[in-house]
Amino acid sequence: GEDVEQSLFLSVREGDSSVINCTYTDSSSTYLYWYKQEPGAGLQLLTYIFSNMDMKQDQRLTVLLNKKDKHLSLRIADTQTGDSAIYFCASSGRDTGRRALTFGSGTRLQVQP
Amino acid sequence: DARVTQTPRHKVTEMGQEVTMRCQPILGHNTVFWYRQTMMQGLELLAYFRNRAPLDDSGMPKDRFSAEMPDATLATLKIQPSEPRDSAVYFCASGLILGRESYEQYFGPGTRLTVT
């Protein structure tokens, strides 16, 4: 079945850029997503990218997709302390079957002042 | 500001008791998902509905869990009887279809369940 993997932890200084990486196994994934989860809260959809795109930019967020390598990244420019959270990568598509979304285990981003 | 709402936000109960969690999806969304989140297992999909019909509940222990959508504004997840291993945060999400088996999902704040 589909597998989505992320590194567990990233620490950056306020004002720097953060890059969170994700790899997935299903080459038929049609959409790839980034969610943010703050403590005690649900998951917030940040952005998603269709598989025929290489890049998507939305304000401070830039998503890069390398379909050949099955690699997805989320870049946060000018990282703020409010960006501290867990970031989940997820994929959907044919081979996820009827499971709708496959989530990675999440990357905890810590922003130091 | 349209949001998914879930009640209760917290529930503490004793083993063997029935637990009912409720979710109000965003108006106009025709898909509803139930997830469970634990430290050990991460996010697990339990069940999902499209147009109120269950599409997949293979992630749910059938002997004790049941999920329903009595109408378009209410989804319920019941556990009977509850067990300590059911302790987790249960999320409801509602969504719009993007494409085949692809959805733009919006999550509720979750119900934190503790079974003692």
Side-chain angles (χ1 to χ4, degrees):
Chain A
E2 165 71 324
D3 199 15
V4 176
E5 296 204 353
Q6 305 176 236
S7 53
L8 291 180
F9 186 76
L10 176 65
S11 179
V12 300
R13 290 193 183 277
E14 192 173 17
D16 288 350
S17 291
S18 308
V19 179
I20 302 172
N21 294 302
C22 168
T23 57
Y24 59 98
T25 57
D26 180 11
S27 58
S28 70
S29 293
T30 48
Y31 285 89
L32 295 126
Y33 309 77
W34 284 104
Y35 282 85
K36 175 184 180 184
Q37 185 177 31
E38 296 180 76
L43 277 71
Q44 175 193 353
L45 178 62
L46 290 177
T47 187
Y48 58 89
I49 188 168
F50 187 50
S51 59
N52 68 353
M53 297 170 64
D54 298 323
M55 186 181 85
K56 181 177 180 181
Q57 188 155 3
D58 184 0
Q59 299 183 341
R60 292 190 298 121
L61 304 179
T62 303
V63 177
L64 294 178
L65 174 60
N66 181 329
K67 202 173 175 184
K68 175 175 168 288
D69 294 339
K70 300 193 197 72
H71 182 266
L72 182 75
S73 67
L74 175 69
R75 179 176 179 270
I76 306 173
D78 186 25
T79 314
Q80 304 296 307
T81 54
D83 295 324
S84 292
I86 300 175
Y87 290 80
F88 290 91
C89 168
S91 72
S92 65
R94 186 177 67 231
D95 284 351
T96 61
R98 301 176 70 77
R99 295 197 297 135
L101 275 185
T102 301
F103 283 90
S105 54
T107 299
R108 182 178 296 276
L109 174 65
Q110 181 182 71
V111 182
Q112 298 176 343
Chain B
D1 185 24
R3 297 185 187 195
V4 176
T5 57
Q6 289 186 248
T7 56
R9 292 294 312 276
H10 301 273
K11 176 74 176 177
V12 180
T13 191
E14 291 184 348
M15 185 172 64
Q17 296 298 306
E18 177 178 300
V19 175
T20 299
M21 291 169 270
R22 293 177 175 81
C23 167
Q24 182 172 12
I26 294 172
L27 192 64
H29 285 189
N30 66 345
T31 54
V32 173
F33 306 80
W34 283 104
Y35 291 89
R36 174 169 63 184
Q37 186 178 39
T38 61
M39 289 292 292
M40 294 300 294
Q41 300 296 329
L43 271 165
E44 302 173 275
L45 177 68
L46 297 175
Y48 74 100
F49 294 77
R50 186 188 300 165
N51 297 322
R52 296 176 54 202
L55 281 196
D56 187 2
D57 60 3
S58 59
M60 223 162 53
K62 301 284 192 310
D63 56 339
R64 299 185 300 108
F65 284 57
S66 61
E68 294 179 346
M69 274 201 80
D71 62 59
T73 64
L74 177 66
T76 62
L77 180 66
K78 284 188 185 178
I79 308 174
Q80 168 64 18
S82 58
E83 296 181 2
R85 61 182 165 148
D86 301 329
S87 297
V89 181
Y90 290 81
F91 289 107
C92 172
S94 72
L96 300 168
I97 296 175
L98 292 171
R100 184 175 175 182
E101 294 306 324
S102 297
Y103 305 89
E104 187 177 322
Q105 295 186 34
Y106 295 87
F107 281 70
T111 294
R112 182 174 294 276
L113 174 65
T114 303
V115 183
T116 60

